[in-house]
Amino acid sequence: MNNDQLTAEERLSRQKHGLAKVVKHAYNNSPFYRRLFDAAGLHPETVATPESFHKLPFTTKNDLRGAYPYGMAAVPLDDIVRIHASSGTTGKPIVAGYTRSDLDYWAQSVTRICEMAGVTKKDIAQISFGYGLFTGGFGLHYGLERLGATVVPFSSGNTERQLSLMKDFKTTVLVSTPSFAIYMAETARDLGYDPLSFGLKIGMFGGEPCSDAMREEIEKQWGLKVTSNYGLTEVVGPGISGECGQRTGMHILDDLYYHEIINPQTGEVLPRGEAGELVLTPLFKEGFPVLRYRTGDITRIVPEPCPCGRTTPLMDYITGRSDDMIIIKGVNIFPSQIEEVLAAFREVSPHYQLVLLKDKGFIKDLEVQVELAQEGFTDRYKELELLGNRIRQRLRSTLSMSPRLKLMEPKSLERTTGKAKRIVEMEVPDLEK
Ligand code: DLL
C-alpha cells in the first residue's frame, strides 16, 4: 500500500498502533520518561491514544540539554550504532542516538521525501550538506541511496571544486541549504560559468527557511525546481516533511511522525488550520525516543487537500521560531517580517543580516544590513538615499519601530556553505540614537 495515500481510517489505525508502541517503550525503558510519567501521575494506557495524548507533558530542548549526553537513551548503549548532535551555538549540543532499526526508519522516511520531490533512480544527486554530527549529509545520503539515485557525497565547503565536479558529473539534483544554492550560483558566475548550463533539475533544500523570494531567485539562476524539506535532529533529522511538485506546503509523513500544533504561550492543542508551534512524536524510534517534542517552529496545517493526490497533511512553510522573537524597545519582531520587507525590493539581494546592538548585554537597537543587488548596482549617493528611505519606511510600518538600516556593497556579507547566520550580536557601548 502506498503510505502517502492512506485513508483517514488507515492513518488513524497506524497512529494508534505507533503511539501505543512508542509510549510503552519510553515508559518501560527510558528513565527520563518513567520519571516524567510518574511525576505527572500518568500511566502509558492513559495517554497512548490520539484522544488522550495531550495529557502528557511536553518534552523541550532544555530537557534534552539536561539529559546530555546519554540521558535520553531507552536501549543499552551497545545497541546504539550512530550518534548525531545538533550544532547548538550555546551550551552543550543535543545528542541523538540511533539503533540499527532507527537508521532504517530514518532512511525510509527520507526516501519518501525524495520521491515526493520528484527524484528517481535516474538522478545524480550531489549532497552539499555537511557529513558529520549534523544530520543533513548522512540523512539525505541513505535516503537517496535507498531510492537508487546516484549519490555524490561531496559534503559542504570547497565551492569551486563542487561546481567543477557538478558540471563534469552532470549532477541533476542539488541537495543543500537554500542559502548555499544561492552562493553556489554566485560563485559559478564569478568563475565564468552560466549556472543555467549545468542542467540541474531539482533542488532539495532544507535546514533553514526558504522564502518565496529566495525560491524565485534560485529557480531563475539555476533553472531547477525548488523543493523544501524539513526535519530536526531531536526527532530524527531530515525526513519528517517535504514538498511535492505542487508547492502547497510540505507533506508530513504522519503515519511515522505524529504531529500537533499548539499555542506556544498556553500549550493548548489548536484546531486544524490555526498557526502555532509544531509538536512532534516519532512513532517508531527506539534509541532516543521523544514524546510531544516542542520543535519551536511556527507553522500551520494547510486545510485544503493537495492536488497531487497524497493524503498526508500539508504543513505550511515555517514562518519563524517561537524562540527567535527579538524584543527591541518593547516591540516584538520576528526576523521573517524583515525578510519579507526586504524581499519586496528588487534593488537589494537576498543576503542580509540582523545585528543586535547591545550595551552591557542588553539589546539597545537593531541594525538591518542588506546587500545591494549586483545587477543595477549604483553607488550614486542620491539614489541610495532614496532607496534607503523607501526601505526604512516599509520597515517602520511593518514592525512599528524604526531599526537602523545599512545598505552594503554586493558580496560584502559573509557567505556560508551551511545554514545562513541571520542574527548576530555586537556589543556597542554608549550607543546613541
Ligand atoms: O536542519 C535537519 C535537516 C537537514 C532538515 C537537512 C532538512 C534538511 P537541525 O540542525 O537540528 O536539523 O535544525 C532543525 O532547522 O527546527 C527548523 O527551525 C530549521 N529547519 C529545518 N528544515 C527547515 C525548512 C536539520 N525546510 C531546525 N524550513 C528546525 C524552515 C527548517 N526551517
Side-chain angles (χ1 to χ4, degrees):
M1 190 195 314
N2 180 346
N3 291 322
D4 292 328
Q5 289 177 323
L6 299 177
T7 62
E9 296 77 52
E10 286 162 350
R11 165 158 298 113
L12 189 62
S13 139
R14 303 257 180 124
Q15 289 176 341
K16 279 185 176 161
H17 166 71
L19 280 177
K21 193 171 155 148
V22 74
V23 166
K24 200 162 138 210
H25 171 63
Y27 181 77
N28 288 340
N29 301 294
S30 151
F32 171 87
Y33 279 110
R34 173 62 71 104
R35 273 196 306 276
L36 184 131
F37 274 77
D38 290 350
L42 295 167
H43 201 260
E45 281 81 57
T46 54
V47 295
T49 62
E51 300 77 38
S52 59
F53 198 48
H54 67 274
K55 291 186 195 153
L56 192 68
F58 297 114
T59 303
T60 64
K61 207 181 258 291
N62 272 344
D63 292 329
L64 303 198
R65 277 217 177 96
Y68 177 86
Y70 297 138
M72 294 306 291
V75 296
L77 282 180
D78 285 7
D79 293 334
I80 297 291
V81 295
R82 172 104 63 82
I83 282 178
H84 283 283
S86 76
S87 56
T89 42
T90 50
K92 297 278 189 203
I94 283 162
V95 178
Y98 304 71
T99 62
R100 219 168 267 293
S101 143
D102 290 339
L103 290 183
D104 199 45
Y105 169 46
W106 186 17
Q108 264 182 50
S109 314
V110 177
T111 302
R112 277 170 68 183
I113 298 292
C114 298
E115 275 168 345
M116 259 184 326
V119 182
T120 71
K121 71 186 293 295
K122 290 199 168 63
D123 281 301
I124 301 179
Q126 185 151 333
I127 301 185
S128 304
F129 280 132
Y131 279 67
L133 289 175
F134 177 52
T135 52
F138 283 101
L140 266 302
H141 181 105
Y142 288 106
L144 282 161
E145 237 181 44
R146 203 169 161 278
L147 177 68
T150 308
V151 176
V152 183
F154 197 97
S155 197
S156 60
N158 214 338
T159 315
E160 294 189 12
R161 191 160 152 71
Q162 294 243 14
L163 285 162
S164 132
L165 292 192
M166 206 156 104
K167 212 166 177 38
D168 298 344
F169 290 175
K170 302 195 170 40
T171 299
T172 53
V173 179
L174 176 62
V175 182
S176 71
T177 57
S179 46
F180 188 51
I182 290 187
Y183 177 39
M184 276 180 107
E186 197 173 86
T187 312
R189 277 195 312 274
D190 288 349
L191 294 172
Y193 299 129
D194 173 7
L196 291 173
S197 71
F198 280 65
L200 282 175
K201 295 197 180 86
I202 299 174
M204 285 203 64
F205 301 129
E208 63 180 11
C210 182
S211 63
D212 287 344
M214 227 166 162
R215 177 188 289 267
E216 266 175 44
E217 185 68 22
I218 299 173
E219 296 201 330
K220 190 176 86 193
Q221 305 230 1
W222 283 111
L224 52 68
K225 180 151 191 146
V226 169
T227 65
S228 191
N229 67 91
Y230 167 89
L232 63 164
T233 316
E234 297 92 312
V235 174
V236 68
I240 294 164
S241 68
E243 255 182 309
C244 65
Q246 299 282 341
R247 310 263 162 98
T248 43
M250 298 182 281
H251 288 271
I252 307 180
L253 307 185
D254 73 334
D255 51 316
L256 304 180
Y257 304 93
Y258 189 77
H259 71 279
E260 300 162 88
I261 304 280
I262 62 158
N263 174 326
Q265 269 86 45
T266 64
E268 174 206 1
V269 178
L270 295 173
R272 197 179 164 93
E274 280 187 33
E277 182 177 341
L278 177 68
V279 171
L280 288 170
T281 303
L283 294 174
F284 300 98
K285 206 167 142 192
E286 297 176 339
F288 281 39
V290 283
L291 305 178
R292 301 198 85 205
Y293 183 69
R294 285 188 68 153
T295 64
D297 295 316
I298 305 291
T299 182
R300 64 172 193 131
I301 300 302
V302 179
E304 297 78 29
C306 184
C308 75
R310 291 181 182 85
T311 53
T312 36
L314 286 170
M315 132 188 179
D316 216 340
Y317 306 115
I318 308 284
T319 51
R321 291 187 47 83
S322 55
D323 55 8
D324 72 3
M325 188 175 76
I326 313 167
I327 305 178
I328 293 166
K329 299 175 181 173
V331 180
N332 300 347
I333 296 172
F334 281 99
S336 55
Q337 294 175 289
I338 299 178
E339 179 162 325
E340 249 170 65
V341 169
L342 299 178
F345 289 88
R346 286 274 153 222
E347 299 90 335
V348 299
S349 77
H351 302 285
Y352 72 95
Q353 209 158 41
L354 309 181
V355 187
L356 301 179
L357 304 172
K358 289 184 150 183
D359 187 3
K360 300 186 190 71
F362 292 99
I363 303 176
K364 291 289 181 194
D365 209 341
L366 168 70
E367 181 170 89
V368 177
Q369 300 186 342
V370 60
E371 277 183 21
L372 292 159
Q374 181 92 44
E375 302 133 33
F377 170 66
T378 173
D379 54 4
R380 301 229 326 255
Y381 178 76
K382 196 75 207 154
E383 281 176 37
L384 288 177
E385 195 181 45
L386 279 175
L387 173 65
N389 287 343
R390 279 166 52 223
I391 299 178
R392 272 187 208 96
Q393 199 183 357
R394 276 285 217 10
L395 286 171
R396 187 164 52 239
S397 66
T398 305
L399 306 175
S400 308
M401 62 88 66
S402 304
R404 293 164 186 241
L405 175 73
K406 192 167 178 184
L407 296 177
M408 319 272 291
E409 271 186 44
K411 299 194 187 160
S412 52
L413 287 173
E414 199 189 333
R415 300 292 189 259
T416 155
T417 57
K419 301 191 188 205
K421 192 164 165 46
R422 298 295 187 197
I423 303 180
V424 295
E425 298 183 355
M426 195 189 283
E427 194 61 35
V428 190
D430 305 320
L431 187 73
E432 286 170 27
K433 181 77 194 173

